[in-house]
Every structure is written in structure tokens, then in C-alpha cells.
Amino acid sequence: MISLYGFLTMEEKLLFMKLLNVTGIGPKGALAILGSGDVSGVIHAIEEENEAFLVKFPGVGKKTARQMILDLKGKLQDVVPDFFPNLFQPEKEDTLSSDHFLNEAILALKALGYSDRELKKVEPKLRNEPGKTSDEYIKRGLQLLLNT
């Protein structure tokens, strides 16, 4: 059986993926934790070893909370980089380059099922159109892929 999960933010998706790697937490448990809508609160609880906060979630007992802390403490920098200001300098939106947006669009097209071979054909054409946002690159990429 194949399951499809959707997330409002990239932080939620990344935390979901990290939670799946914790022994005792499956997709339903990870979704229950994310259901609080407080990604930074969960990360803060893990980093501060706050078991009391973590056991509030359905299916998370003292043992599972302890396992979350052991498995994830210090490993969540990529989920919320600004929670770890000394380790990362988060990119500001106005300093993001066209390459960043193009790479993001290529990843999105890959997630839609396009092969690397198909994407390599349209990438040079997209590179010749700088200054677009990720959405604009995705739309243009889809146009090019459908015309091939």
C-alpha cells in the first residue's frame, strides 16, 4: 500500500522524516506530533530534553519521548536553521539567486515524476531565463516538458 502525506511547510516535512527514523514512531505518530502545528516547540522540547512536553502527544509515552531526545537532539539544524543561530546563517529571500529557484524547480519537477534525462533537456533552456521565481520556473519547465 502506498501512502501520500502533505505538509504546509518544508519544516513540517523535514521533521516528519526525522520522526520516522525514531524507534517507536510511525507515520501516524509523527502526524499526531505535527498536528500541534508547533514545529519549533517540538524541536525546542527535544533540544531542551523536555519529556513532559513530548508525552502530551498521542502515542508518545515516557520511553518514546526519551528515544526521540536520544535520536534527534542536535540533529535538527536542517529543519529549523534559525533555531540554531550559531550553526547556520539562514538565507534571506532577497539574496536568493536564480540558481536557487531553478534548483528548487528542478526538484519539484523531479517529484512530479519527470526523469533526470527529461529534466537535463529542459534545464539549459530554463537557465537562459534568469530572474524567475521557483513557481515561474516550474510553470515554464512544465510547458517545455509537455512540448517535447
Side-chain angles (χ1 to χ4, degrees), residues 77-127:
Q77 296 90 348
D78 56 334
V79 177
V80 183
D82 52 348
F83 186 78
F84 302 89
N86 298 333
L87 300 175
F88 292 92
Q89 292 297 329
E91 295 178 301
K92 294 189 171 95
E93 272 190 50
D94 56 347
T95 63
L96 294 177
S97 67
S98 288
D99 277 349
H100 172 80
F101 292 124
L102 177 59
N103 292 336
E104 200 171 67
I106 295 293
L107 288 173
L109 292 169
K110 196 178 287 190
L112 289 172
Y114 289 99
S115 69
D116 287 332
R117 186 176 51 84
E118 293 172 304
L119 294 172
K120 284 182 184 189
K121 288 180 184 176
V122 298
E123 188 174 352
K125 294 174 186 171
L126 293 174
R127 286 203 183 279

